[in-house]
Amino acid sequence: MEQEQQRKIIHLDMDAFYASVEQRDQPALRGKPVAVGGSRQRGVVAAASYEARQFGVRSAMASSVALRKCPELVFVKPRFEVYKEVSRQIRAIFAEYTPLIEPLSLDEAYLDVTHNLKQIASATQLAQEIRARILAETQLTASAGISYNKFLAKLASDYRKPNGQFVIKPHEGLAFVEALSVGQFHGIGPATVARLHQLGIFTGLDLRQQTEAFLRQHFGKAGTHYYHIARAQDHRPVVADRVRKSVGSETTFEHDLLTHAELLAGLQPILDAVWATSQRTGSSGRTVTLKVKYADFRQITRSRTFLAPIRTPALLTQVSHELLAALLPLPLGVRLLGVALSTLETEIEAPGQQLALRF
């Protein structure tokens, strides 16, 4: 832990990025609940403004559900090329402070500023300066979390959103984690939360009281990760050349899908989510993989690989429909569908590559 505590990690996260860009560029949208995405019946919200979030509207939510929650919601068509250009501006600012930048998507990244290019000792001061630069150059706000590892920095960045920052110091990490509910842990999703609750684990303190062997027994390799983060430990470095292997989405349906029409209806929100993630992360893939799990839990996958990346949602939809059609007639009802894009190509240069040209 002593060596880990010497690290200074900043997690920078743009506030409601897509929606904020639209409100910046269209003054009439300011102060209104805005959703970036499709308003059609089977559309999906890619991003929601803070005004919309007050009504419970969230990203990845079906547009029809979002409209029920907020009838005054204004839908705006995504402009991913604009978002990518703004992301380039922001990453150029990061690169003036450190070469150790690990982008997670167009709107967030980890920065290791332990040894930074400005030679500023205070990570708090650095985060304030970077956020001020982003605001001055893009007219957009960012939030920051500062700590001695990635796990805590990510948690901290949510603590003062929007347009704020929060520090978790080395001597504060353990107490901070033990007070959290397991649902607040980054990387622990609803299904895992339900399993933890079944085991009587509700808080970080509850999690810390479990042995590593117990957690591995119930959660496999992830159990070791849970064991360490419950102790406020995260030894993962900030990796500048981090490569995403795939983007995907899947849904387990409340009732088994039995007809071709039901399959197509169930598949569309999944395709929308995959495309939105692909655009948000600035990556495109050459391989489309369809995942199907039948009512008896038997699972199959079917893939198709192209020479060039999938550049349009229409092509992604067409290929997925063809892979699905090849499985008809159904031997059983379908309880889960998933789609993934792999063999990815990144459209935005990695920060490490940009810096290599500078030096």
Side-chain angles (χ1 to χ4, degrees):
M1 283 292 293
E2 183 177 349
Q3 182 179 1
E4 181 182 41
Q5 289 172 355
Q6 293 175 354
R7 296 165 61 198
K8 298 176 183 179
I9 309 297
I10 302 174
H11 178 258
L12 261 298
D13 193 5
M14 300 301 296
D15 298 322
F17 183 50
Y18 297 174
S20 295
V21 171
E22 297 303 334
Q23 289 178 317
R24 178 196 69 176
D25 294 348
Q26 302 182 61
L29 296 178
R30 294 172 191 172
K32 294 183 178 180
V34 173
V36 176
S39 60
R40 63 190 186 281
Q41 181 66 24
R42 295 178 184 171
V44 174
V45 175
S49 68
Y50 281 97
E51 294 87 352
R53 294 182 190 188
Q54 292 177 0
F55 292 87
V57 178
R58 295 289 184 270
S59 61
M61 178 178 286
S63 299
S64 57
V65 174
L67 276 170
R68 285 199 297 270
K69 289 180 175 289
C70 180
E72 303 302 317
L73 190 62
V74 180
F75 280 91
V76 179
K77 184 178 179 180
R79 298 182 299 152
F80 288 109
E81 289 306 316
V82 175
Y83 309 148
K84 290 174 188 176
E85 181 54 38
V86 177
S87 182
R88 291 187 183 97
Q89 287 181 267
I90 294 165
R91 292 186 190 178
I93 294 171
F94 293 164
E96 294 184 26
Y97 292 84
T98 176
L100 294 178
I101 306 164
E102 182 177 336
L104 302 180
S105 61
L106 292 182
D107 59 346
E108 63 175 318
Y110 289 112
L111 284 65
D112 188 329
V113 296
T114 310
H115 305 288
N116 59 84
L117 300 177
K118 299 287 187 178
Q119 312 222 345
I120 297 175
S122 169
T124 300
Q125 180 182 338
L126 273 170
Q128 290 172 335
E129 187 172 315
I130 292 170
R131 290 175 51 240
R133 287 278 308 279
I134 291 171
L135 179 60
E137 297 183 26
T138 70
Q139 292 77 57
L140 300 170
T141 63
S143 295
I146 305 103
S147 196
Y148 56 93
N149 65 41
K150 291 165 72 172
F151 172 67
L152 291 174
K154 173 76 172 175
L155 287 175
S157 66
D158 285 333
Y159 220 65
R160 291 286 184 266
K161 267 189 165 291
N163 195 25
Q165 64 183 56
F166 187 73
V167 182
I168 303 175
K169 298 178 181 178
H171 68 276
E172 299 170 336
L174 202 58
F176 184 87
V177 169
E178 71 179 23
L180 297 176
S181 68
V182 290
Q184 293 175 279
F185 281 40
H186 173 62
I188 296 185
T192 302
V193 169
R195 291 175 61 195
L196 287 165
H197 286 179
Q198 290 173 353
L199 296 169
I201 301 170
F202 297 91
T203 67
L205 179 59
D206 295 336
L207 191 60
R208 195 173 82 226
Q209 290 173 339
Q210 312 306 315
T211 65
E212 183 176 359
F214 174 84
L215 293 173
R216 284 185 65 91
Q217 175 188 346
H218 290 278
F219 300 99
K221 291 182 180 179
T224 295
H225 177 63
Y226 302 156
Y227 176 84
H228 286 293
I229 61 177
R231 289 157 177 77
Q233 299 171 0
D234 181 3
H235 302 286
R236 296 173 300 160
V238 172
V239 181
D241 57 354
R242 176 179 177 271
V243 177
R244 180 184 286 268
K245 296 181 180 179
S246 66
V247 295
S249 179
E250 61 182 42
T251 298
T252 299
F253 301 101
E254 186 174 348
H255 303 289
D256 293 342
L257 306 184
L258 302 173
T259 68
H260 190 200
E262 288 177 338
L263 290 170
L264 294 179
L267 190 61
Q268 191 56 52
I270 297 170
L271 293 169
D272 289 343
V274 171
W275 188 254
T277 301
S278 172
Q279 296 299 290
R280 185 175 69 248
T281 57
S283 58
S284 54
R286 294 190 292 110
T287 299
V288 180
T289 300
L290 175 73
K291 176 180 176 182
V292 177
K293 185 179 289 186
Y294 293 110
D296 62 358
F297 289 87
R298 181 166 55 95
Q299 180 175 299
I300 63 171
T301 59
R302 295 291 185 268
S303 300
R304 185 176 300 174
T305 299
F306 295 82
L307 293 176
I310 304 292
R311 296 293 189 190
T312 67
L315 181 55
L316 175 64
T317 298
Q318 176 188 331
V319 175
S320 300
H321 284 187
E322 291 172 355
L323 292 171
L324 182 62
L327 301 177
L328 300 176
L330 294 173
L332 288 169
V334 170
R335 72 186 314 270
L336 177 147
L337 285 174
V339 174
L341 267 176
S342 56
T343 321
L344 297 185
E345 297 182 7
T346 303
E347 297 177 9
I348 297 178
E349 306 91 337
Q353 294 171 329
Q354 295 173 352
L355 286 168
L357 295 175
R358 287 190 176 199
F359 289 114

